Amino acid sequence: MDNLFSIVFQHLPNPTLIIASDRTITYANTAAKSVFDSIFIGKDLALTLRHPEVLNAVDRSIADGTSEEGEFSIPGPLSLVFELHTVPIPDTQSPGSGLSFVLLSLLDKTKIARAEEMRADFVANASHELRSPLTAILGFIETLQGPASNDATARVRFLGIMDREAERMNRLIDDLLRLSRVEIDEHVRPRGQVDVIACIRNVFELLEPRAKAKNMSLTLIADHHPGPINGDSDQLIQVFRNLIENAVHYGDEGTEVRVVVEERIDRPNIPENGIAVHVQDKGRGIAKQHIPRLTERFYRVDGARTRHNSSASISTGLGLAIVKHIVNRHRGRLKIESEVNSGSTFSVFLPTE
Ligand code: ADP
């Protein structure tokens, strides 16, 4: 191969192979070598890539001189998805003598395929989550129109349940919209200046009635008032709100929810100039195996049960997903520590610059 061409070929970002008219591999570039464990140069392509989709495309290109396209996947622990393109290259040395090579180039579509899968999962989950309260409401309407049409006691009870289910749908839609807004600007750095203590006080005011209803107290502990940090104050209020709301919701009656604010943290992997906010509750806690999954959308520790008890209307399984995205946008970190039947600490680390 001509030297310049060889260098260019080696540096092409897509895995690319040159196949001779007898289907043997003549050249493979660096990207191709990084995808396949071994490439057998000078041997039939089937020894390296046994996928029928690829072999058929190359065979057709060789036989008919056509360009082919297709898709195939390589199974494994992390299955890879590729788009394939073949281009027949005529023999320029002796025109008219027919085909000399087929260029086989691959496009790694694994990430796109995964994103599509996630999007489809998300739509399915969101529809399912909205369908459950809707089905309940429709069921009660039917009962009120039929068998219970003259039953005043049932009417009051059913309307109460319908109200709660409708509220649940409302909250789901609010959270879904919030999540999508947060995801849209996740890669845009926030520009405002935020007083973290003021944000927490703001959330305390909002949640005080709910805490009182469970005979709980909200306590803020900070040895001094840290300076402002770069951030989006509405979003940071949302983070503290979701965490403190959970602490009140999952904390035991009559206990204290503590929010501890620390400035300058000197621990590994934590930005040195930063603020840490720890939201601590005393309650049911969370079993270890659930912790890594809590920030997934719609993940609830005991989803089915929570959905049917009286607190159903406030649980969407989206709160911590929203927290994670906002914290990422602020280049921060979320850490969850918990002990079953003892309580949990959700810590947010935010860099000051
Ligand atoms: P939601 O609270 O709306 O269900 P979240 O995303 O905020 O959704 O929380 C996901 C799950 O994590 C909750 O359903 C609950 O099982 C668990 N969880 C969150 N915070 C706490 C907490 N402070 N104590 C115990 N469990 C919690």
Side-chain angles (χ1 to χ4, degrees), residues 60-130:
R60 278 197 301 274
S61 266
I62 292 172
D64 309 335
T66 51
S67 291
E68 303 288 331
E69 284 179 7
E71 205 175 278
F72 70 101
S73 53
I74 303 178
L78 289 172
S79 118
L80 302 172
V81 182
F82 287 99
E83 194 173 280
L84 74 91
H85 296 264
T86 67
V87 181
I89 302 174
D91 189 347
T92 47
Q93 307 291 314
S94 43
S97 65
L99 187 77
S100 100
F101 296 108
V102 167
L103 186 74
L104 169 63
S105 64
L106 308 178
L107 189 63
D108 189 347
K109 289 189 66 184
T110 313
K111 276 196 193 131
I112 300 171
R114 263 189 212 134
E116 274 172 13
E117 216 171 273
M118 276 172 66
R119 193 190 53 79
D121 277 358
F122 176 68
V123 171
N125 281 332
S127 314
H128 172 78
E129 294 287 336
L130 285 167

Side-chain angles (χ1 to χ4, degrees), residues 171 242 246-247 250 281 284-286 294 299-302 314-321 344 346:
R171 189 172 157 122
N242 289 4
N246 279 348
Y250 299 104
D281 67 67
R284 61 160 93 161
I286 306 157
L294 291 183
Y299 191 84
R300 301 183 192 88
V301 169
D302 50 1
I314 97 135
S315 175
T316 65
L318 292 172
L320 292 176
S344 313
F346 285 74

Side-chain angles (χ1 to χ4, degrees), residues 27-46:
Y27 296 105
N29 73 351
T30 316
K33 287 174 192 156
S34 70
V35 170
F36 303 107
D37 295 339
S38 35
I39 293 187
F40 299 98
I41 304 286
K43 297 272 169 31
D44 191 298
L45 173 65

Side-chain angles (χ1 to χ4, degrees), residues 222-280:
D223 52 5
H224 70 286
H225 197 128
I229 60 165
N230 281 334
D232 177 320
S233 79
D234 285 347
Q235 287 194 339
L236 289 179
I237 287 176
Q238 186 71 54
V239 165
F240 302 132
R241 181 185 170 154
N242 289 4
L243 295 180
I244 299 169
E245 204 166 40
N246 279 348
V248 171
H249 184 66
Y250 299 104
D252 288 341
E253 292 224 0
T255 56
E256 180 187 40
V257 169
R258 276 178 183 223
V259 179
V260 182
V261 179
E262 296 175 322
E263 200 179 19
R264 274 194 55 85
I265 317 122
D266 270 324
R267 282 183 249 158
N269 306 324
I270 294 167
E272 206 164 310
N273 294 313
I275 291 183
V277 179
H278 310 278
V279 179
Q280 304 169 340

